[in-house]
Amino acid sequence: MVGDRFFRHIYSACWDPEVRLQEMDRDGVDLQIISATPVLFAYERPLEHALDCAQLLNDAALELCSRGKGRLKSFCQVPLQDVDAACEELSRSMQAGHLGVQIGNHVGSKNLDDAGIVTFLQHCADEGAAVLVHPWEMFGLERMPKYMMPWTVGMPAETQLSVVALILSGAFDRLPDTLRICFAHGGGSFAFLLGRLENAWHHHPVARGDCQHPPSHYLKRFSTDSAVFDQRTLQFLVGTMGADQVMLGSDYPFPLGEERVGSLIRQSNLPQHTKAKLLSGNAARFLALEGQSQEAAERMSGVGIAPRSEPRQLTYSSYLKVPELLELQQPQSSPPHHDELLFILVHQTYELWFKELLHDLDAVVANLQRAGAAPQTHDEVYEAARLLRRCTEITRVLVEQFTILETMLPTHFLAFRGLLEPASGFQSEQFREIEFLCGLKDEKMLRYHKPTPEAYASLKRRLEEPSLRDVFFGALQAMGKLPPAREGESEGERFAARARAVHSLYKAERDHRDWIDVCERLTEFDELVVSWRLRHIQLVERIIGIRMGTGGSAGSSYLKLTLDKKFFPELWEARTLLTE
Ligand code: HEM
């Protein structure tokens, strides 16, 4: 009851540590921070009442924790309407064993940027007390009499207001960065509206307040909990705040709390090491538990905390950047559709192999350039053939890989396809780079890369640089196998001369085994790329039939037109000449 008014039903988890511990075991929670609820802050009461209330509750919390088998810790509360008394009660509580303090997000009309409250926060930093800001006494209650709106609408706005007040007032510029402060309920509406705040800061001098930097600069200065109850929101929150700034918050054991504490994070698609941070690592840092005993660290290890002996030597993961790699799969569907992970991973795998192909093809070009500059030597030609063999083996794998994606039912793909528009394979920069590098240059394709200026610039560069095809024939020219281009020679005549040059190599097989090897590898590569195109078309038809592509093309009928494309058409023409 609040006065004689019913407030909410509670049950024995609120006062019986045994019940709490059982429920923690059920949910896989090792350590819990308890605090009194914000309705008990008493900030509006005379100081002596509020102080009485704080001391009573703070001592009771410690007594409850003493029966918690080391798995319950507490945050105190303070009479924040009086800064001196608040600082004094904080110091007393910290000495008695609290890990921090829970404060309301305002005291009457004073927001967190009030000079007295900022002084209190400074004192928290000095005392090493973690601060949890919880919204309370919501504004606009007269307009929110129904539907629990004060909780669902008022609280998020209140919290956003306090974060914004702290940032814009310049309080974070004055407070030391040792202050550990966290805002409840995912920071309310703050993260979602950060863009709006940032925009106002940049464009309206009055919106700037007194802070030295744009609002996003201060994201590392505070944390939020994870109590947002939606996978997409959690992803967004972690994306905005950073994986180090969000920690498990439960609202346990109240009606709006998470039914199985931690399930939102555990069931999310976040990478394992990010989950470990959210479930424990970030809280351990926030609560300054990291430096504590091995026993405490081990207790937390159940939810992912490792003892703090930072491995500095190179490990498998640190060398291969495994954690970073595993963080790169971010589904658009919410809750994530089971097959979207496969869809992302297969594409990412292709892109990784495209990277290796470009790396090797660039080296082939360099070797053939050197071979052209010194036609007597053979080493570079052998090296080019060796690297081309790698390119063909990679491409063989790339042709095969489509079958994995074909285990995805068309209906499963359609369940999230709509979320991918207007992204399209047309925008695979590396695929187009491979085409341009090999000699298949089509300036029109640059238009798909307008949204990404870096991709546009590197493709433009590839368009202007000599291609593998140019360099190959440049070397044959240096060897005297291909006459220099004649004044006014047409494209068709030049093509025929190049085909004849290749023809002459095959005719003198014993003298040009190294070059013939290069020709065979280039031909095989060409062949395999066509196989890739064909398998891709089959996949497309299997998954979306003859529907249009997300990139706006006619889909499979467009892709079929690409089947005739060849990187090295003269090598194929030479075969016709050989049979004549
Ligand atoms: C569900 C699976 C897939 C579907 C339905 C699909 C569909 C399409 C369609 C319709 C196009 C034509 C462009 C457009 O209008 O968007 C296209 C192009 C393309 N796709 Fe896919 N695709 C799939 C998987 C893949 C995979 C796994 C890759 C691997 C990298 C890939 C790479 C490409 C590339 C590079 C292009 C441009 C081809 C060119 O311009 O010649 N696609 N895709």
Side-chain angles (χ1 to χ4, degrees):
M1 310 292 289
V2 173
D4 56 2
R5 183 167 52 87
F6 168 77
F7 182 63
R8 76 170 52 138
H9 283 290
I10 56 172
Y11 67 107
S12 57
C14 281
W15 61 83
D16 184 343
E18 276 307 317
V19 175
R20 225 164 233 270
L21 292 176
Q22 274 167 20
E23 298 196 349
M24 285 162 68
D25 286 341
R26 178 199 65 193
D27 296 350
V29 173
D30 294 313
L31 192 78
Q32 207 176 52
I33 306 299
I34 64 166
S35 60
T37 96
V39 268
L40 300 168
F41 283 153
Y43 294 165
E44 73 291 2
R45 300 293 179 96
L47 171 61
E48 59 275 23
H49 291 185
L51 184 59
D52 245 9
C53 196
Q55 290 179 339
L56 199 96
L57 291 168
N58 293 343
D59 295 346
L62 286 175
E63 192 278 323
L64 200 147
C65 290
S66 71
R67 292 182 282 128
K69 305 191 172 137
R71 293 172 61 191
L72 298 177
K73 304 274 177 198
S74 57
F75 272 17
C76 64
Q77 72 173 52
V78 293
L80 200 54
Q81 62 270 59
D82 184 305
V83 180
D84 292 337
C87 291
E88 211 172 302
E89 179 56 15
L90 180 89
S91 299
R92 185 189 82 87
S93 302
M94 290 301 287
Q95 264 174 23
H98 287 269
L99 294 183
V101 59
Q102 176 179 229
I103 61 171
N105 73 310
H106 63 102
V107 177
S109 60
K110 294 177 187 165
N111 283 322
L112 292 193
D113 60 338
D114 169 75
I117 299 180
V118 173
T119 303
F120 173 74
L121 292 176
Q122 170 72 56
H123 186 67
C124 292
D126 296 342
E127 288 281 351
V131 183
L132 174 67
V133 182
H134 197 291
W136 84 306
E137 284 205 339
M138 278 63 79
F139 49 42
L141 285 180
E142 66 288 357
R143 291 177 51 219
M144 299 188 273
K146 293 188 279 190
Y147 320 129
M148 278 191 90
M149 276 186 174
W151 278 263
T152 55
V153 179
M155 280 194 172
E158 283 282 0
T159 309
Q160 180 193 14
L161 172 59
S162 14
V163 184
V164 173
L166 267 186
I167 292 177
L168 295 184
S169 65
F172 278 124
D173 294 318
R174 299 193 298 281
L175 286 163
D177 58 12
T178 48
L179 174 68
R180 290 174 270 123
I181 185 165
C182 174
F183 292 84
H185 314 143
S189 352
F190 173 77
F192 190 67
L193 293 172
L194 174 59
R196 186 174 171 84
L197 181 66
E198 193 85 352
N199 180 55
W201 194 90
H202 283 290
H203 295 107
H204 300 284
V206 283
R208 284 204 164 192
D210 297 316
C211 57
Q212 291 169 11
H213 306 280
S216 57
H217 173 85
Y218 299 94
L219 294 181
K220 294 281 170 265
R221 296 295 300 278
F222 60 93
S223 309
T224 73
D225 75 14
S226 63
V228 293
F229 306 97
D230 175 76
Q231 289 296 352
R232 216 147 24 144
T233 313
L234 180 67
Q235 290 267 3
F236 177 80
L237 183 64
V238 172
T240 304
M241 292 297 299
D244 291 326
Q245 309 299 123
V246 182
M247 66 186 105
L248 171 58
S250 62
D251 257 341
Y252 170 93
F254 293 134
L256 285 189
E258 197 176 18
E259 210 166 289
R260 286 286 176 272
V261 176
S263 55
L264 182 74
I265 297 174
R266 289 198 176 91
Q267 286 164 17
S268 76
N269 243 358
L270 293 164
Q272 283 306 331
H273 79 283
T274 303
K275 287 185 188 177
K277 284 181 176 183
L278 267 60
L279 288 171
S280 63
N282 294 342
R285 207 178 59 249
F286 176 66
L287 301 168
L289 291 175
E290 285 174 308
Q292 292 213 347
S293 66
Q294 182 72 11
E295 192 206 333
E298 270 163 16
R299 194 175 322 115
M300 303 272 303
S301 70
V303 282
I305 273 211
R308 251 278 162 197
S309 58
E310 284 284 302
R312 277 286 158 253
Q313 88 229 46
L314 199 63
T315 62
Y316 176 87
S317 305
S318 67
Y319 174 60
L320 298 173
K321 300 264 181 279
V322 176
E324 290 85 345
L325 192 63
L326 300 184
E327 200 157 350
L328 299 177
Q329 294 72 45
Q330 312 270 345
Q332 291 286 313
S333 49
S334 175
H337 189 287
H338 182 83
D339 281 1
E340 196 180 349
L341 180 65
L342 176 76
F343 185 79
I344 295 173
L345 276 172
V346 168
H347 280 83
Q348 288 182 339
T349 316
Y350 272 103
E351 290 295 335
L352 285 174
W353 282 123
F354 287 165
K355 180 173 182 174
E356 179 63 34
L357 279 177
L358 284 165
H359 184 58
D360 293 325
L361 289 168
D362 274 331
V364 171
V365 168
N367 274 288
L368 292 186
Q369 267 166 340
R370 283 196 294 274
Q376 314 317 326
T377 60
H378 297 275
D379 283 0
E380 278 80 9
V381 189
Y382 288 129
E383 184 58 7
R386 189 184 72 83
L387 289 169
L388 280 169
R389 157 115 207 280
R390 180 180 299 160
C391 295
T392 57
E393 292 311 314
I394 293 171
T395 314
R396 218 181 293 284
V397 168
L398 297 189
V399 175
E400 284 304 308
Q401 263 191 195
F402 285 120
T403 57
I404 309 176
L405 207 48
E406 283 174 342
T407 60
M408 176 175 68
L409 292 179
T411 41
H412 291 188
F413 178 56
L414 293 176
F416 59 87
R417 184 186 190 224
L419 301 168
L420 312 182
E421 272 175 78
S424 146
F426 271 157
Q427 292 165 328
S428 168
E429 177 203 343
Q430 296 198 103
F431 179 81
R432 206 60 71 203
E433 265 195 78
I434 292 170
E435 283 196 340
F436 287 6
L437 170 58
C438 289
L440 210 55
K441 296 181 178 178
D442 183 353
E443 193 164 1
K444 288 195 300 299
M445 298 318 266
L446 284 183
R447 69 180 190 275
Y448 295 106
H449 300 276
K450 288 233 165 86
T452 41
E454 310 78 27
Y456 189 91
S458 57
L459 278 169
K460 194 108 195 13
R461 183 173 54 78
R462 291 279 186 199
L463 261 188
E464 285 150 15
E465 279 174 1
S467 67
L468 174 53
R469 182 172 164 216
D470 298 331
V471 171
F472 172 81
F473 286 107
L476 293 197
Q477 191 173 318
M479 284 160 64
K481 291 281 165 196
L482 173 67
R486 279 184 290 107
E487 181 97 8
E489 194 177 32
S490 71
E491 272 294 312
E493 287 167 338
R494 192 66 198 148
F495 178 83
R498 286 172 154 190
R500 279 196 302 277
V502 176
H503 174 262
S504 71
L505 289 179
Y506 278 85
K507 279 294 192 188
E509 185 181 331
R510 291 173 65 119
D511 302 333
H512 301 299
R513 286 199 188 283
D514 50 351
W515 279 100
I516 289 179
D517 207 14
V518 170
C519 291
E520 288 296 295
R521 294 285 165 219
L522 289 175
T523 311
E524 193 178 352
F525 184 54
D526 230 354
E527 224 170 52
L528 284 160
V529 171
V530 176
S531 303
W532 185 94
R533 294 187 199 276
L534 184 62
R535 283 300 285 115
H536 176 245
I537 293 170
Q538 288 169 331
L539 165 81
V540 172
E541 289 192 348
R542 184 162 170 168
I543 305 263
I544 59 164
I546 55 165
R547 285 260 164 253
M548 274 181 69
T550 44
S553 82
S556 83
S557 60
Y558 159 79
L559 291 166
K560 281 179 185 161
L561 300 177
T562 67
L563 282 176
D564 286 334
K565 290 187 178 179
K566 293 226 164 47
F567 291 155
F568 314 108
E570 295 90 344
L571 294 183
W572 295 91
E573 177 64 13
R575 281 157 213 271
T576 311
L577 295 181
L578 283 165
T579 52
E580 275 169 4

